[in-house]
């Protein structure tokens, strides 16, 4: 009789553990999806709203300048010896940082020439 009770308790513990692991897995997927959506939203928004920028209605329709780096990791390796170590560990983070630096340098160059621009980094 006590062997049957122990067997039922063990089966219940296994089922409870499986249910808990499934919920953890589902919660992790849900959190990753939310973080990805937040990351896309943050990267698609301009860093600052400058007062000198044209309103969306005043901008010419359909004109944009897109810069896509062929190999952002190679750019990182050229700019920093430390980047070589991170290339294998966190390539997405390193690529994001390269694009952020390109954005910042582009803004500085445009400001030096007194050109008002909105420079954004977007996830494709």
């Amino acid at each position: 009789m006590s062997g049957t009770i122990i067997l039922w308790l063990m089966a219940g513990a296994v089922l409870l553990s499986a249910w808990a692991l499934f919920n953890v897995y589902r919660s992790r997927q849900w959190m990753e999806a939310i973080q990805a959506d937040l990351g896309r939203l943050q990267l698609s928004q301009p860093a600052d709203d400058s007062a000198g920028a044209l309103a969306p209605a005043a901008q010419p329709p359909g004109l944009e300048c897109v810069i896509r780096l062929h190999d952002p990791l190679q750019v990182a390796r050229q700019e920093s010896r430390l980047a070589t170590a991170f290339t294998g560990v966190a390539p997405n983070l390193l690529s994001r940082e390269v694009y952020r630096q390109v954005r910042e340098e582009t803004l500085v160059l445009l400001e030096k020439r007194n050109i008002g621009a909105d420079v954004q980094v977007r996830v494709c």
Side-chain angles (χ1 to χ4, degrees):
M1 182 73 165
S2 66
T4 306
I5 293 173
I6 291 174
L7 186 61
W8 279 106
L9 288 174
M10 286 176 54
V14 168
L15 287 174
L16 184 62
S17 297
W19 177 78
L21 286 173
F22 174 74
N23 282 327
V24 167
Y25 174 74
R26 195 171 55 179
S27 296
R28 181 176 281 169
Q29 284 181 326
W30 180 67
M31 289 299 294
E32 288 173 358
I34 289 174
Q35 288 174 344
D37 289 342
L38 285 174
R40 275 190 232 106
L41 287 173
Q42 289 172 349
L43 288 176
S44 67
Q45 293 177 352
D48 61 333
D49 295 324
S50 56
L54 293 174
Q59 294 178 356
L63 298 177
E64 286 186 338
C65 176
V66 177
I67 299 172
R68 181 169 291 141
L69 300 176
H70 292 290
D71 190 358
L73 297 178
Q74 179 63 32
V75 174
R77 285 189 291 267
Q78 288 174 356
E79 297 294 320
S80 169
R81 291 183 186 177
L82 186 60
T84 305
F86 285 104
T87 300
V89 178
N92 292 337
L93 179 64
L94 199 55
S95 294
R96 185 175 292 163
E97 182 62 24
V98 168
Y99 273 98
R100 190 187 68 74
Q101 288 290 331
V102 168
R103 177 191 176 277
E104 294 299 320
E105 290 180 21
T106 303
L107 279 172
V108 168
L109 290 172
L110 290 171
E111 286 175 2
K112 282 183 182 178
R113 297 185 67 183
N114 293 325
I115 298 173
D118 178 29
V119 180
Q120 300 177 11
V121 175
R122 294 184 182 173
V123 178
C124 298

